Each structure stands twice: as C-alpha cells, then as structure tokens.
Amino acid sequence: MEKGILREKYRGAVRRVFLAVFFFAAMFLLSACGNAGSGVPEDSSDMAEAEEPGLAVLLVTDSKIAEDSIEDRTRNGIENFLKKHPSCTLEEIVETDARKAVPRASGYDAAVFVGASFSGIGEAAGEQRDSRFIVIDTTVADAEGEVLSLPNVCTVTFRAEEEGFLAGVGAALSPEADRVTADLDREDPDGALLLGFADGLDYAAGTYGTENTGLEIGDVKSDGDGITIRDAQDQIITQIRREPQGIVCEELEKVYAGTFRGQDLIVGVREGCIDYVSEDGKHLLTADALRKLKLTKDMIISEEPYGKIT
C-alpha cells in the first residue's frame, strides 16, 4: 500500500517535470519559427533606415560653380542634407537658357535653382506640379514679369539692407579700407543696399566711435556674389556674403518629410543667411573689429527689427 502511494507520487513528479520541459521547448520552437518566418532582423530600425525612400535632387546653375560662390554654398547645403539621408541623390547641370531649365527638372523630387537668371521660370514651374522647386536669390515671375507665388515653389531672397548695413559697419571698423564693391546676382532697384550701407557707417560712428570715412559702395555689378571691402593694395579685408546652405537643407528636409509648401522667404542675419567672412586666413579684420561686428550681428538678431536699428 505504501509502495503504491510512493510509486504514484513518483509518477506524478516525473509527469510534471516532463510537461514543464515540453512547455519551454515548445515556446522556444515557436519563437524561433516566428522570427524565421517574419524575416525581420532583431534590430528592425536598421532595416527601416536602409529602406528609407530617397529623394532625387537636381541642382541647376547658369554657369560652372566657382569655389566659395553662392552656388557653391547652396551645394554645401544640399550635401549637408545628403549626409543625413544617404539614400538621396544629387545631380548637377548647367543651363544658360531658363526656358529649358524647368523641363530638365522633370522626374526629380526637388530641383534647386540658383541665380536671378531663373526668375522667369514661374509659369513653367507652376505647370510642373510633380516637382518641388527651391529657387535661391530671386523670386519667380511670368512672361510679363509679374511675380508669382506657387504651391510647389519656394523662393529665397536676402535682405539687401542688412547686407549693406553689415558692410557699412565692417568698412567703418577697417581704417585701412580703401574701397567697397558690391558684386551681386541681382540689382538694387530700391536702393536698399546703398541705404543700408550708409546706415551702417552712421551706426558704427555713433556706437563704436569710428570716423565716417566717406566710403561709398561703387562698381555695383550683376555677375558676382556679396559685398567686398578692400584696402589700397586691393587685398580683401572681409566680405559680406549670402549664406543659403542652412535654408536649403531645411527646405529639402520638408520635401523629404512631405511637409513642403510654396512660399516666398526673405531671409537675413537673424536666419543665419547673411554673414561676414571671419574664417582664419580669409580676412584682414582686427580682433577688435571682429568683436564689434559680432556685437552688431547680435543687435540685428535681437527683437528689434532692422527699421529700428538707426
């Protein structure tokens, strides 16, 4: 009797051990089969990154890109975007005929145009709704020159008065300055750049105690980039430049995220799109001039609009 009871207890214990082992084995096999059947790696985020859709980006200029030009800095902005999204691609073309430029953008997700020579692409870009256009340094217009605002076109222009203002302060802070030239990709029809320059000279005199040297912006051209302050030996003291790389990268991110919308942006110092050259080896400004130009930038970036500077 006691032996039978012990035997039954023994059999029950063995049965419980067997069922436990079977249960864990079955769970292991189901887990293994589930992973094998799904084909999903342990870190699915890696695959998601690898399979992210890529944008085809086109950069259009009207001439070969010169080093350190606005076209070059625009390309830098696109390349910054590509570093974040390696599945995206960039192609570059030179097109001197604006009428042919828009059709060449067909098939690209985003087309970036640089320069005033593309101001007349408005109607053609508006008809090509499958593409997104980012146009740097000009607005777009129709055949009659009427400015257009389009849902698939973002234009980026720069505040000429802030370019001129920084140039005026920079020239006033450079007693060795002999002349100032403005090499621009667009005209200054309302005189904003020249007025800004005069305001900058006056601001430097009133704030930093400089002498108004009587310098004027001369030789305004339409085939260059920025404002250059030179000494009597024709050496570049510094330049005031348009810096589109940040805004270009930002707009491409919107195309990538599906949030892009047409708009006409006007940017300047506050947006980081106008600045003076301060890199070592590329200017002749003194440490004191650099410090005061930085204070001037901070003032423009503050809550006071440009109109209240002077």
PDB file of all heavy atoms in Angstrom, residues 210-250:
ATOM      1  N   THR A 210      33.700 105.352 -34.525  1.00  0.00           N
ATOM      2  CA  THR A 210      34.515 105.399 -35.747  1.00  0.00           C
ATOM      3  C   THR A 210      34.282 106.707 -36.475  1.00  0.00           C
ATOM      4  O   THR A 210      33.300 107.407 -36.235  1.00  0.00           O
ATOM      5  CB  THR A 210      34.150 104.236 -36.690  1.00  0.00           C
ATOM      6  OG1 THR A 210      32.786 104.384 -37.093  1.00  0.00           O
ATOM      7  CG2 THR A 210      34.336 102.898 -36.005  1.00  0.00           C
ATOM      8  N   GLU A 211      35.185 107.005 -37.387  1.00  0.00           N
ATOM      9  CA  GLU A 211      35.010 108.188 -38.219  1.00  0.00           C
ATOM     10  C   GLU A 211      34.301 107.775 -39.501  1.00  0.00           C
ATOM     11  O   GLU A 211      34.603 106.743 -40.086  1.00  0.00           O
ATOM     12  CB  GLU A 211      36.362 108.808 -38.564  1.00  0.00           C
ATOM     13  CG  GLU A 211      37.093 109.385 -37.366  1.00  0.00           C
ATOM     14  CD  GLU A 211      38.392 110.050 -37.770  1.00  0.00           C
ATOM     15  OE1 GLU A 211      38.626 110.173 -38.990  1.00  0.00           O
ATOM     16  OE2 GLU A 211      39.154 110.446 -36.879  1.00  0.00           O
ATOM     17  N   ASN A 212      33.352 108.592 -39.911  1.00  0.00           N
ATOM     18  CA  ASN A 212      32.698 108.328 -41.183  1.00  0.00           C
ATOM     19  C   ASN A 212      33.692 108.695 -42.285  1.00  0.00           C
ATOM     20  O   ASN A 212      33.947 109.863 -42.565  1.00  0.00           O
ATOM     21  CB  ASN A 212      31.425 109.168 -41.302  1.00  0.00           C
ATOM     22  CG  ASN A 212      30.577 108.725 -42.486  1.00  0.00           C
ATOM     23  OD1 ASN A 212      31.109 108.323 -43.516  1.00  0.00           O
ATOM     24  ND2 ASN A 212      29.265 108.818 -42.329  1.00  0.00           N
ATOM     25  N   THR A 213      34.254 107.690 -42.880  1.00  0.00           N
ATOM     26  CA  THR A 213      35.359 107.891 -43.821  1.00  0.00           C
ATOM     27  C   THR A 213      34.910 108.407 -45.181  1.00  0.00           C
ATOM     28  O   THR A 213      35.746 108.701 -46.038  1.00  0.00           O
ATOM     29  CB  THR A 213      36.096 106.553 -44.047  1.00  0.00           C
ATOM     30  OG1 THR A 213      35.161 105.599 -44.583  1.00  0.00           O
ATOM     31  CG2 THR A 213      36.641 106.025 -42.731  1.00  0.00           C
ATOM     32  N   GLY A 214      33.612 108.467 -45.399  1.00  0.00           N
ATOM     33  CA  GLY A 214      33.145 108.909 -46.705  1.00  0.00           C
ATOM     34  C   GLY A 214      33.164 107.806 -47.742  1.00  0.00           C
ATOM     35  O   GLY A 214      32.951 108.067 -48.930  1.00  0.00           O
ATOM     36  N   LEU A 215      33.411 106.585 -47.301  1.00  0.00           N
ATOM     37  CA  LEU A 215      33.405 105.459 -48.237  1.00  0.00           C
ATOM     38  C   LEU A 215      32.022 105.269 -48.847  1.00  0.00           C
ATOM     39  O   LEU A 215      31.006 105.475 -48.186  1.00  0.00           O
ATOM     40  CB  LEU A 215      33.816 104.169 -47.526  1.00  0.00           C
ATOM     41  CG  LEU A 215      35.313 103.960 -47.280  1.00  0.00           C
ATOM     42  CD1 LEU A 215      35.516 102.783 -46.342  1.00  0.00           C
ATOM     43  CD2 LEU A 215      36.042 103.725 -48.594  1.00  0.00           C
ATOM     44  N   GLU A 216      31.997 104.877 -50.087  1.00  0.00           N
ATOM     45  CA  GLU A 216      30.746 104.578 -50.763  1.00  0.00           C
ATOM     46  C   GLU A 216      30.867 103.237 -51.464  1.00  0.00           C
ATOM     47  O   GLU A 216      31.963 102.803 -51.821  1.00  0.00           O
ATOM     48  CB  GLU A 216      30.414 105.664 -51.796  1.00  0.00           C
ATOM     49  CG  GLU A 216      30.150 107.026 -51.186  1.00  0.00           C
ATOM     50  CD  GLU A 216      29.820 108.057 -52.242  1.00  0.00           C
ATOM     51  OE1 GLU A 216      29.858 107.720 -53.438  1.00  0.00           O
ATOM     52  OE2 GLU A 216      29.528 109.209 -51.858  1.00  0.00           O
ATOM     53  N   ILE A 217      29.719 102.580 -51.657  1.00  0.00           N
ATOM     54  CA  ILE A 217      29.724 101.359 -52.458  1.00  0.00           C
ATOM     55  C   ILE A 217      29.796 101.755 -53.924  1.00  0.00           C
ATOM     56  O   ILE A 217      28.984 102.537 -54.415  1.00  0.00           O
ATOM     57  CB  ILE A 217      28.464 100.516 -52.200  1.00  0.00           C
ATOM     58  CG1 ILE A 217      28.524  99.904 -50.801  1.00  0.00           C
ATOM     59  CG2 ILE A 217      28.329  99.410 -53.235  1.00  0.00           C
ATOM     60  CD1 ILE A 217      27.373  98.989 -50.484  1.00  0.00           C
ATOM     61  N   GLY A 218      30.790 101.246 -54.607  1.00  0.00           N
ATOM     62  CA  GLY A 218      30.936 101.536 -56.020  1.00  0.00           C
ATOM     63  C   GLY A 218      30.990 100.263 -56.837  1.00  0.00           C
ATOM     64  O   GLY A 218      31.084  99.164 -56.305  1.00  0.00           O
ATOM     65  N   ASP A 219      30.925 100.425 -58.135  1.00  0.00           N
ATOM     66  CA  ASP A 219      31.065  99.306 -59.072  1.00  0.00           C
ATOM     67  C   ASP A 219      30.063  98.193 -58.792  1.00  0.00           C
ATOM     68  O   ASP A 219      30.420  97.017 -58.727  1.00  0.00           O
ATOM     69  CB  ASP A 219      32.488  98.717 -59.019  1.00  0.00           C
ATOM     70  CG  ASP A 219      33.540  99.763 -59.329  1.00  0.00           C
ATOM     71  OD1 ASP A 219      33.269 100.629 -60.171  1.00  0.00           O
ATOM     72  OD2 ASP A 219      34.618  99.717 -58.717  1.00  0.00           O
ATOM     73  N   VAL A 220      28.800  98.551 -58.585  1.00  0.00           N
ATOM     74  CA  VAL A 220      27.775  97.525 -58.376  1.00  0.00           C
ATOM     75  C   VAL A 220      27.627  96.729 -59.658  1.00  0.00           C
ATOM     76  O   VAL A 220      27.369  97.282 -60.723  1.00  0.00           O
ATOM     77  CB  VAL A 220      26.431  98.152 -57.973  1.00  0.00           C
ATOM     78  CG1 VAL A 220      25.358  97.076 -57.849  1.00  0.00           C
ATOM     79  CG2 VAL A 220      26.581  98.886 -56.654  1.00  0.00           C
ATOM     80  N   LYS A 221      27.822  95.437 -59.564  1.00  0.00           N
ATOM     81  CA  LYS A 221      27.775  94.553 -60.721  1.00  0.00           C
ATOM     82  C   LYS A 221      26.625  93.564 -60.570  1.00  0.00           C
ATOM     83  O   LYS A 221      25.972  93.505 -59.544  1.00  0.00           O
ATOM     84  CB  LYS A 221      29.104  93.801 -60.869  1.00  0.00           C
ATOM     85  CG  LYS A 221      30.316  94.725 -60.990  1.00  0.00           C
ATOM     86  CD  LYS A 221      31.608  93.934 -60.988  1.00  0.00           C
ATOM     87  CE  LYS A 221      32.813  94.865 -61.043  1.00  0.00           C
ATOM     88  NZ  LYS A 221      34.086  94.111 -60.986  1.00  0.00           N
ATOM     89  N   SER A 222      26.404  92.780 -61.602  1.00  0.00           N
ATOM     90  CA  SER A 222      25.326  91.793 -61.536  1.00  0.00           C
ATOM     91  C   SER A 222      25.828  90.388 -61.841  1.00  0.00           C
ATOM     92  O   SER A 222      25.083  89.516 -62.201  1.00  0.00           O
ATOM     93  CB  SER A 222      24.222  92.162 -62.537  1.00  0.00           C
ATOM     94  OG  SER A 222      24.742  92.197 -63.843  1.00  0.00           O
ATOM     95  N   ASP A 223      27.125  90.181 -61.722  1.00  0.00           N
ATOM     96  CA  ASP A 223      27.673  88.878 -62.092  1.00  0.00           C
ATOM     97  C   ASP A 223      28.511  88.255 -60.981  1.00  0.00           C
ATOM     98  O   ASP A 223      29.335  87.383 -61.219  1.00  0.00           O
ATOM     99  CB  ASP A 223      28.531  88.997 -63.353  1.00  0.00           C
ATOM    100  CG  ASP A 223      29.679  89.989 -63.168  1.00  0.00           C
ATOM    101  OD1 ASP A 223      29.700  90.672 -62.128  1.00  0.00           O
ATOM    102  OD2 ASP A 223      30.538  90.063 -64.069  1.00  0.00           O
ATOM    103  N   GLY A 224      28.312  88.704 -59.755  1.00  0.00           N
ATOM    104  CA  GLY A 224      29.152  88.193 -58.681  1.00  0.00           C
ATOM    105  C   GLY A 224      28.358  87.801 -57.461  1.00  0.00           C
ATOM    106  O   GLY A 224      27.183  87.459 -57.552  1.00  0.00           O
ATOM    107  N   ASP A 225      28.984  87.899 -56.281  1.00  0.00           N
ATOM    108  CA  ASP A 225      28.340  87.425 -55.065  1.00  0.00           C
ATOM    109  C   ASP A 225      28.848  88.189 -53.858  1.00  0.00           C
ATOM    110  O   ASP A 225      30.005  88.078 -53.494  1.00  0.00           O
ATOM    111  CB  ASP A 225      28.622  85.926 -54.910  1.00  0.00           C
ATOM    112  CG  ASP A 225      28.147  85.396 -53.578  1.00  0.00           C
ATOM    113  OD1 ASP A 225      27.090  85.844 -53.116  1.00  0.00           O
ATOM    114  OD2 ASP A 225      28.831  84.531 -53.009  1.00  0.00           O
ATOM    115  N   GLY A 226      27.984  88.985 -53.244  1.00  0.00           N
ATOM    116  CA  GLY A 226      28.315  89.604 -51.977  1.00  0.00           C
ATOM    117  C   GLY A 226      28.917  90.996 -52.100  1.00  0.00           C
ATOM    118  O   GLY A 226      28.972  91.600 -53.166  1.00  0.00           O
ATOM    119  N   ILE A 227      29.360  91.520 -50.963  1.00  0.00           N
ATOM    120  CA  ILE A 227      29.977  92.848 -50.885  1.00  0.00           C
ATOM    121  C   ILE A 227      31.399  92.662 -50.371  1.00  0.00           C
ATOM    122  O   ILE A 227      31.621  91.994 -49.369  1.00  0.00           O
ATOM    123  CB  ILE A 227      29.186  93.766 -49.936  1.00  0.00           C
ATOM    124  CG1 ILE A 227      27.731  93.863 -50.392  1.00  0.00           C
ATOM    125  CG2 ILE A 227      29.820  95.150 -49.880  1.00  0.00           C
ATOM    126  CD1 ILE A 227      26.852  94.637 -49.434  1.00  0.00           C
ATOM    127  N   THR A 228      32.348  93.284 -51.052  1.00  0.00           N
ATOM    128  CA  THR A 228      33.755  93.109 -50.711  1.00  0.00           C
ATOM    129  C   THR A 228      34.345  94.430 -50.248  1.00  0.00           C
ATOM    130  O   THR A 228      34.160  95.459 -50.897  1.00  0.00           O
ATOM    131  CB  THR A 228      34.552  92.591 -51.930  1.00  0.00           C
ATOM    132  OG1 THR A 228      33.958  91.381 -52.391  1.00  0.00           O
ATOM    133  CG2 THR A 228      36.003  92.317 -51.544  1.00  0.00           C
ATOM    134  N   ILE A 229      35.050  94.396 -49.117  1.00  0.00           N
ATOM    135  CA  ILE A 229      35.757  95.565 -48.598  1.00  0.00           C
ATOM    136  C   ILE A 229      37.243  95.342 -48.852  1.00  0.00           C
ATOM    137  O   ILE A 229      37.815  94.334 -48.414  1.00  0.00           O
ATOM    138  CB  ILE A 229      35.491  95.750 -47.091  1.00  0.00           C
ATOM    139  CG1 ILE A 229      33.978  95.864 -46.840  1.00  0.00           C
ATOM    140  CG2 ILE A 229      36.215  96.975 -46.546  1.00  0.00           C
ATOM    141  CD1 ILE A 229      33.595  95.781 -45.374  1.00  0.00           C
ATOM    142  N   ARG A 230      37.881  96.273 -49.581  1.00  0.00           N
ATOM    143  CA  ARG A 230      39.278  96.109 -49.987  1.00  0.00           C
ATOM    144  C   ARG A 230      40.134  97.250 -49.454  1.00  0.00           C
ATOM    145  O   ARG A 230      39.642  98.348 -49.196  1.00  0.00           O
ATOM    146  CB  ARG A 230      39.387  96.071 -51.523  1.00  0.00           C
ATOM    147  CG  ARG A 230      38.748  94.867 -52.174  1.00  0.00           C
ATOM    148  CD  ARG A 230      38.954  94.918 -53.688  1.00  0.00           C
ATOM    149  NE  ARG A 230      38.575  93.672 -54.346  1.00  0.00           N
ATOM    150  CZ  ARG A 230      37.378  93.415 -54.819  1.00  0.00           C
ATOM    151  NH1 ARG A 230      36.421  94.317 -54.694  1.00  0.00           N
ATOM    152  NH2 ARG A 230      37.117  92.280 -55.414  1.00  0.00           N
ATOM    153  N   ASP A 231      41.446  96.972 -49.339  1.00  0.00           N
ATOM    154  CA  ASP A 231      42.379  98.030 -48.961  1.00  0.00           C
ATOM    155  C   ASP A 231      43.028  98.606 -50.221  1.00  0.00           C
ATOM    156  O   ASP A 231      42.692  98.213 -51.350  1.00  0.00           O
ATOM    157  CB  ASP A 231      43.422  97.515 -47.970  1.00  0.00           C
ATOM    158  CG  ASP A 231      44.319  96.429 -48.558  1.00  0.00           C
ATOM    159  OD1 ASP A 231      44.341  96.263 -49.802  1.00  0.00           O
ATOM    160  OD2 ASP A 231      45.003  95.742 -47.784  1.00  0.00           O
ATOM    161  N   ALA A 232      43.947  99.534 -50.014  1.00  0.00           N
ATOM    162  CA  ALA A 232      44.564 100.229 -51.145  1.00  0.00           C
ATOM    163  C   ALA A 232      45.378  99.289 -52.022  1.00  0.00           C
ATOM    164  O   ALA A 232      45.610  99.582 -53.201  1.00  0.00           O
ATOM    165  CB  ALA A 232      45.446 101.363 -50.630  1.00  0.00           C
ATOM    166  N   GLN A 233      45.808  98.173 -51.474  1.00  0.00           N
ATOM    167  CA  GLN A 233      46.568  97.185 -52.244  1.00  0.00           C
ATOM    168  C   GLN A 233      45.656  96.148 -52.895  1.00  0.00           C
ATOM    169  O   GLN A 233      46.119  95.136 -53.409  1.00  0.00           O
ATOM    170  CB  GLN A 233      47.596  96.472 -51.346  1.00  0.00           C
ATOM    171  CG  GLN A 233      48.790  97.325 -50.954  1.00  0.00           C
ATOM    172  CD  GLN A 233      48.430  98.401 -49.950  1.00  0.00           C
ATOM    173  OE1 GLN A 233      47.730  98.129 -48.965  1.00  0.00           O
ATOM    174  NE2 GLN A 233      48.889  99.629 -50.196  1.00  0.00           N
ATOM    175  N   ASP A 234      44.367  96.394 -52.860  1.00  0.00           N
ATOM    176  CA  ASP A 234      43.354  95.519 -53.445  1.00  0.00           C
ATOM    177  C   ASP A 234      43.240  94.183 -52.703  1.00  0.00           C
ATOM    178  O   ASP A 234      42.721  93.205 -53.230  1.00  0.00           O
ATOM    179  CB  ASP A 234      43.634  95.258 -54.934  1.00  0.00           C
ATOM    180  CG  ASP A 234      42.361  94.910 -55.694  1.00  0.00           C
ATOM    181  OD1 ASP A 234      41.303  95.454 -55.334  1.00  0.00           O
ATOM    182  OD2 ASP A 234      42.425  94.090 -56.626  1.00  0.00           O
ATOM    183  N   GLN A 235      43.743  94.148 -51.468  1.00  0.00           N
ATOM    184  CA  GLN A 235      43.562  92.951 -50.648  1.00  0.00           C
ATOM    185  C   GLN A 235      42.169  92.977 -50.021  1.00  0.00           C
ATOM    186  O   GLN A 235      41.657  94.042 -49.659  1.00  0.00           O
ATOM    187  CB  GLN A 235      44.608  92.884 -49.537  1.00  0.00           C
ATOM    188  CG  GLN A 235      46.032  92.771 -50.025  1.00  0.00           C
ATOM    189  CD  GLN A 235      46.994  92.657 -48.857  1.00  0.00           C
ATOM    190  OE1 GLN A 235      47.475  91.578 -48.507  1.00  0.00           O
ATOM    191  NE2 GLN A 235      47.293  93.780 -48.231  1.00  0.00           N
ATOM    192  N   ILE A 236      41.573  91.803 -49.896  1.00  0.00           N
ATOM    193  CA  ILE A 236      40.225  91.710 -49.320  1.00  0.00           C
ATOM    194  C   ILE A 236      40.313  91.774 -47.803  1.00  0.00           C
ATOM    195  O   ILE A 236      40.939  90.914 -47.167  1.00  0.00           O
ATOM    196  CB  ILE A 236      39.536  90.415 -49.765  1.00  0.00           C
ATOM    197  CG1 ILE A 236      39.297  90.438 -51.272  1.00  0.00           C
ATOM    198  CG2 ILE A 236      38.204  90.241 -49.033  1.00  0.00           C
ATOM    199  CD1 ILE A 236      38.725  89.145 -51.818  1.00  0.00           C
ATOM    200  N   ILE A 237      39.685  92.797 -47.221  1.00  0.00           N
ATOM    201  CA  ILE A 237      39.623  92.910 -45.759  1.00  0.00           C
ATOM    202  C   ILE A 237      38.577  91.938 -45.224  1.00  0.00           C
ATOM    203  O   ILE A 237      38.838  91.176 -44.304  1.00  0.00           O
ATOM    204  CB  ILE A 237      39.316  94.354 -45.343  1.00  0.00           C
ATOM    205  CG1 ILE A 237      40.445  95.282 -45.807  1.00  0.00           C
ATOM    206  CG2 ILE A 237      39.131  94.444 -43.825  1.00  0.00           C
ATOM    207  CD1 ILE A 237      40.158  96.748 -45.594  1.00  0.00           C
ATOM    208  N   THR A 238      37.402  91.984 -45.791  1.00  0.00           N
ATOM    209  CA  THR A 238      36.378  90.987 -45.489  1.00  0.00           C
ATOM    210  C   THR A 238      35.300  91.067 -46.568  1.00  0.00           C
ATOM    211  O   THR A 238      35.315  91.959 -47.418  1.00  0.00           O
ATOM    212  CB  THR A 238      35.755  91.179 -44.094  1.00  0.00           C
ATOM    213  OG1 THR A 238      34.950  90.042 -43.782  1.00  0.00           O
ATOM    214  CG2 THR A 238      34.896  92.423 -44.029  1.00  0.00           C
ATOM    215  N   GLN A 239      34.372  90.131 -46.527  1.00  0.00           N
ATOM    216  CA  GLN A 239      33.237  90.110 -47.435  1.00  0.00           C
ATOM    217  C   GLN A 239      31.956  89.899 -46.637  1.00  0.00           C
ATOM    218  O   GLN A 239      31.970  89.210 -45.616  1.00  0.00           O
ATOM    219  CB  GLN A 239      33.376  88.983 -48.462  1.00  0.00           C
ATOM    220  CG  GLN A 239      34.487  89.185 -49.484  1.00  0.00           C
ATOM    221  CD  GLN A 239      34.596  88.000 -50.420  1.00  0.00           C
ATOM    222  OE1 GLN A 239      34.782  86.870 -49.975  1.00  0.00           O
ATOM    223  NE2 GLN A 239      34.462  88.247 -51.706  1.00  0.00           N
ATOM    224  N   ILE A 240      30.877  90.477 -47.114  1.00  0.00           N
ATOM    225  CA  ILE A 240      29.558  90.204 -46.574  1.00  0.00           C
ATOM    226  C   ILE A 240      28.886  89.280 -47.586  1.00  0.00           C
ATOM    227  O   ILE A 240      28.751  89.624 -48.760  1.00  0.00           O
ATOM    228  CB  ILE A 240      28.730  91.495 -46.407  1.00  0.00           C
ATOM    229  CG1 ILE A 240      29.558  92.581 -45.690  1.00  0.00           C
ATOM    230  CG2 ILE A 240      27.437  91.197 -45.669  1.00  0.00           C
ATOM    231  CD1 ILE A 240      30.062  92.188 -44.325  1.00  0.00           C
ATOM    232  N   ARG A 241      28.470  88.103 -47.133  1.00  0.00           N
ATOM    233  CA  ARG A 241      28.009  87.079 -48.073  1.00  0.00           C
ATOM    234  C   ARG A 241      26.615  86.570 -47.731  1.00  0.00           C
ATOM    235  O   ARG A 241      26.203  86.567 -46.574  1.00  0.00           O
ATOM    236  CB  ARG A 241      28.974  85.883 -48.076  1.00  0.00           C
ATOM    237  CG  ARG A 241      30.383  86.215 -48.472  1.00  0.00           C
ATOM    238  CD  ARG A 241      31.205  84.987 -48.739  1.00  0.00           C
ATOM    239  NE  ARG A 241      31.136  83.995 -47.687  1.00  0.00           N
ATOM    240  CZ  ARG A 241      32.003  82.996 -47.549  1.00  0.00           C
ATOM    241  NH1 ARG A 241      33.005  82.879 -48.406  1.00  0.00           N
ATOM    242  NH2 ARG A 241      31.882  82.128 -46.576  1.00  0.00           N
ATOM    243  N   ARG A 242      25.936  86.134 -48.768  1.00  0.00           N
ATOM    244  CA  ARG A 242      24.676  85.414 -48.602  1.00  0.00           C
ATOM    245  C   ARG A 242      24.984  83.945 -48.354  1.00  0.00           C
ATOM    246  O   ARG A 242      25.751  83.333 -49.103  1.00  0.00           O
ATOM    247  CB  ARG A 242      23.816  85.600 -49.856  1.00  0.00           C
ATOM    248  CG  ARG A 242      23.170  86.964 -49.939  1.00  0.00           C
ATOM    249  CD  ARG A 242      22.802  87.331 -51.353  1.00  0.00           C
ATOM    250  NE  ARG A 242      23.990  87.798 -52.069  1.00  0.00           N
ATOM    251  CZ  ARG A 242      24.103  87.820 -53.400  1.00  0.00           C
ATOM    252  NH1 ARG A 242      23.115  87.386 -54.140  1.00  0.00           N
ATOM    253  NH2 ARG A 242      25.197  88.274 -53.966  1.00  0.00           N
ATOM    254  N   GLU A 243      24.388  83.388 -47.314  1.00  0.00           N
ATOM    255  CA  GLU A 243      24.685  82.025 -46.868  1.00  0.00           C
ATOM    256  C   GLU A 243      23.414  81.181 -46.928  1.00  0.00           C
ATOM    257  O   GLU A 243      22.672  81.078 -45.962  1.00  0.00           O
ATOM    258  CB  GLU A 243      25.232  82.043 -45.432  1.00  0.00           C
ATOM    259  CG  GLU A 243      26.454  82.927 -45.221  1.00  0.00           C
ATOM    260  CD  GLU A 243      27.750  82.262 -45.675  1.00  0.00           C
ATOM    261  OE1 GLU A 243      27.690  81.117 -46.154  1.00  0.00           O
ATOM    262  OE2 GLU A 243      28.816  82.902 -45.567  1.00  0.00           O
ATOM    263  N   PRO A 244      23.133  80.544 -48.074  1.00  0.00           N
ATOM    264  CA  PRO A 244      21.856  79.831 -48.226  1.00  0.00           C
ATOM    265  C   PRO A 244      21.866  78.389 -47.736  1.00  0.00           C
ATOM    266  O   PRO A 244      20.824  77.735 -47.745  1.00  0.00           O
ATOM    267  CB  PRO A 244      21.647  79.857 -49.746  1.00  0.00           C
ATOM    268  CG  PRO A 244      23.042  79.805 -50.294  1.00  0.00           C
ATOM    269  CD  PRO A 244      23.902  80.578 -49.328  1.00  0.00           C
ATOM    270  N   GLN A 245      23.027  77.878 -47.294  1.00  0.00           N
ATOM    271  CA  GLN A 245      23.114  76.432 -47.045  1.00  0.00           C
ATOM    272  C   GLN A 245      22.131  75.929 -45.994  1.00  0.00           C
ATOM    273  O   GLN A 245      21.525  74.862 -46.157  1.00  0.00           O
ATOM    274  CB  GLN A 245      24.548  76.010 -46.690  1.00  0.00           C
ATOM    275  CG  GLN A 245      25.257  76.844 -45.646  1.00  0.00           C
ATOM    276  CD  GLN A 245      26.075  77.962 -46.231  1.00  0.00           C
ATOM    277  OE1 GLN A 245      25.551  78.771 -46.984  1.00  0.00           O
ATOM    278  NE2 GLN A 245      27.345  78.048 -45.866  1.00  0.00           N
ATOM    279  N   GLY A 246      21.926  76.686 -44.923  1.00  0.00           N
ATOM    280  CA  GLY A 246      21.012  76.237 -43.876  1.00  0.00           C
ATOM    281  C   GLY A 246      19.571  76.173 -44.350  1.00  0.00           C
ATOM    282  O   GLY A 246      18.852  75.204 -44.095  1.00  0.00           O
ATOM    283  N   ILE A 247      19.128  77.214 -45.065  1.00  0.00           N
ATOM    284  CA  ILE A 247      17.735  77.256 -45.509  1.00  0.00           C
ATOM    285  C   ILE A 247      17.484  76.214 -46.597  1.00  0.00           C
ATOM    286  O   ILE A 247      16.396  75.635 -46.682  1.00  0.00           O
ATOM    287  CB  ILE A 247      17.375  78.686 -45.994  1.00  0.00           C
ATOM    288  CG1 ILE A 247      15.860  78.897 -45.964  1.00  0.00           C
ATOM    289  CG2 ILE A 247      17.934  78.999 -47.349  1.00  0.00           C
ATOM    290  CD1 ILE A 247      15.296  79.122 -44.614  1.00  0.00           C
ATOM    291  N   VAL A 248      18.481  75.936 -47.437  1.00  0.00           N
ATOM    292  CA  VAL A 248      18.329  74.909 -48.476  1.00  0.00           C
ATOM    293  C   VAL A 248      18.157  73.538 -47.839  1.00  0.00           C
ATOM    294  O   VAL A 248      17.260  72.767 -48.204  1.00  0.00           O
ATOM    295  CB  VAL A 248      19.544  74.910 -49.419  1.00  0.00           C
ATOM    296  CG1 VAL A 248      19.537  73.680 -50.319  1.00  0.00           C
ATOM    297  CG2 VAL A 248      19.558  76.157 -50.280  1.00  0.00           C
ATOM    298  N   CYS A 249      19.001  73.227 -46.858  1.00  0.00           N
ATOM    299  CA  CYS A 249      18.897  71.945 -46.153  1.00  0.00           C
ATOM    300  C   CYS A 249      17.537  71.819 -45.470  1.00  0.00           C
ATOM    301  O   CYS A 249      16.894  70.765 -45.521  1.00  0.00           O
ATOM    302  CB  CYS A 249      20.029  71.827 -45.136  1.00  0.00           C
ATOM    303  SG  CYS A 249      20.097  70.245 -44.267  1.00  0.00           S
ATOM    304  N   GLU A 250      17.072  72.897 -44.871  1.00  0.00           N
ATOM    305  CA  GLU A 250      15.785  72.890 -44.168  1.00  0.00           C
ATOM    306  C   GLU A 250      14.623  72.629 -45.129  1.00  0.00           C
ATOM    307  O   GLU A 250      13.716  71.841 -44.823  1.00  0.00           O
ATOM    308  CB  GLU A 250      15.593  74.229 -43.468  1.00  0.00           C
ATOM    309  CG  GLU A 250      14.319  74.355 -42.664  1.00  0.00           C
ATOM    310  CD  GLU A 250      14.201  75.706 -41.977  1.00  0.00           C
ATOM    311  OE1 GLU A 250      15.236  76.206 -41.476  1.00  0.00           O
ATOM    312  OE2 GLU A 250      13.097  76.260 -41.958  1.00  0.00           O
TER     313      GLU A 250
END
